[in-house]
């Protein structure tokens, strides 16, 4: 069960054209994000997000202290670019790096800082996401919170692996033709092929709009 969560501006941007993304959403939305992390078995990001944001991906309380129970952190890193000195490896909890190609020295460095590395090459040279989901299920993971980036989000959407979408929409306009959106990739060429959500609920988190929907794809309900 994969939950795709993202915060974006009213014009669909998750960062400015210079890469600034903190903070698009407000405090209430950020507290909610930690509640989602607390309830998930795993939190997943792509290597682009890991390199650009250097996130911790930990579940924290209102005092910004890490909780005792932490979700498994998963980094999808097809070409083995993740740095062993990133915050991911100095934060509490277990971490798994899924890769397609990785230097032996990089793998050993990641293992020394406590990471597990799994090689899951797909036919396109990137990580085989179906195989990754099978690995997570074998480890007892039933719910994955996907927190970006746009390339990984697109791959999971296109393969029908996203079950639920939680979108936070901030009342701001960012603009910029080079500014990133939450779902990148090639996209769907026809509207009739686009991923549509059902069972929609719309609420508020502070000044932000909170939209929840479910998919009909193979990962959906």
């Amino acid at each position: 069960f994969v939950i795709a969560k993202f915060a974006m501006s009213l014009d669909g941007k998750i960062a400015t054209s210079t890469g600034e993304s903190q903070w698009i959403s407000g405090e209430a939305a950020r507290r909610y994000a930690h509640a989602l992390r607390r309830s998930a078995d795993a939190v997943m990001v792509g290597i682009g997000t890991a390199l650009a944001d250097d996130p911790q991906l930990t579940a924290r309380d209102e005092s910004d202290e890490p909780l005792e129970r932490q979700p498994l952190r998963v980094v999808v890193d097809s070409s083995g670019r993740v740095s062993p000195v990133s915050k991911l490896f100095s934060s509490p909890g277990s971490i798994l790096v899924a890769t397609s190609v990785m230097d032996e020295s990089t793998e050993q460095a990641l293992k020394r800082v406590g990471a597990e590395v799994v090689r899951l090459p797909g036919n396109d040279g990137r990580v085989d996401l179906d195989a990754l989901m099978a690995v997570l299920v074998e480890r007892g993971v039933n719910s994955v919170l996907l927190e970006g980036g746009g390339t990984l989000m697109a791959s999971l959407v296109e393969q029908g692996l996203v079950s639920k979408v939680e979108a936070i929409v901030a009342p701001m306009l960012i603009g910029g033709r080079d500014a990133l959106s939450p779902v990148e990739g090639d996209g769907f060429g026809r509207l009739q092929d686009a991923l549509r959500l059902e069972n929609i609920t719309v609420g508020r988190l502070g000044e932000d709009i909170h939209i929840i929907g479910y998919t009909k794809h193979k990962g959906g309900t």
Side-chain angles (χ1 to χ4, degrees):
F1 191 84
V2 177
I3 304 167
K5 190 272 291 182
F6 52 84
M8 66 181 185
S9 62
L10 197 58
D11 55 340
K13 309 296 185 180
I14 60 171
T16 67
S17 58
T18 62
E20 184 180 348
S21 61
Q22 295 182 341
W23 298 98
I24 288 178
S25 60
E27 180 62 31
R30 295 196 291 274
R31 287 198 302 269
Y32 180 76
H34 282 289
L36 288 178
R37 287 181 186 176
R38 287 196 296 272
S39 62
D41 294 324
V43 178
M44 180 184 293
V45 295
I47 184 58
T49 297
L51 293 175
D53 297 345
D54 195 17
Q56 297 181 62
L57 299 183
T58 51
R60 299 187 291 276
D61 60 23
E62 293 187 358
S63 300
D64 204 35
E65 294 296 324
L67 301 173
E68 182 175 353
R69 178 199 175 275
Q70 292 291 333
L72 172 68
R73 286 164 290 158
V74 180
V75 180
V76 179
D77 178 18
S78 294
S79 55
R81 293 185 291 152
V82 68
S83 170
V85 298
S86 70
K87 293 177 183 177
L88 287 165
F89 305 106
S90 59
S91 302
S94 301
I95 183 165
L96 183 147
V97 178
T99 188
S100 181
V101 177
M102 180 178 287
D103 292 338
E104 185 66 26
S105 59
T106 301
E107 180 174 351
Q108 292 305 315
L110 293 177
K111 289 180 177 179
R112 284 195 294 270
V113 292
E116 178 184 1
V117 177
V118 292
R119 296 174 183 266
L120 302 169
N123 294 330
D124 58 358
R126 296 187 293 181
V127 169
D128 184 329
L129 295 175
D130 280 312
L132 175 56
M133 292 303 161
V135 166
L136 294 177
V137 169
E138 289 175 359
R139 284 160 169 72
V141 172
N142 294 312
S143 60
V144 177
L145 180 62
L146 173 62
E147 296 200 23
T151 300
L152 178 59
M153 192 85 70
S155 296
L156 285 161
V157 166
E158 290 165 6
Q159 294 182 39
L161 295 172
V162 172
S163 305
K164 181 181 180 182
V165 173
E166 297 231 13
I168 310 296
V169 183
M172 67 170 68
L173 300 174
I174 293 176
R177 64 175 60 90
D178 297 324
L180 297 176
S181 63
V183 183
E184 299 284 341
D186 294 329
F188 297 100
R190 301 184 302 172
L191 286 177
Q192 68 185 54
D193 297 327
L195 179 63
R196 290 189 177 273
L197 304 178
E198 60 183 9
N199 299 327
I200 306 296
T201 59
V202 180
R204 293 280 296 273
L205 288 169
E207 295 184 349
D208 300 323
I209 301 166
H210 182 203
I211 302 170
I212 301 174
Y214 297 83
T215 73
K216 296 180 180 180
H217 281 189
K218 67 179 180 180
T221 56

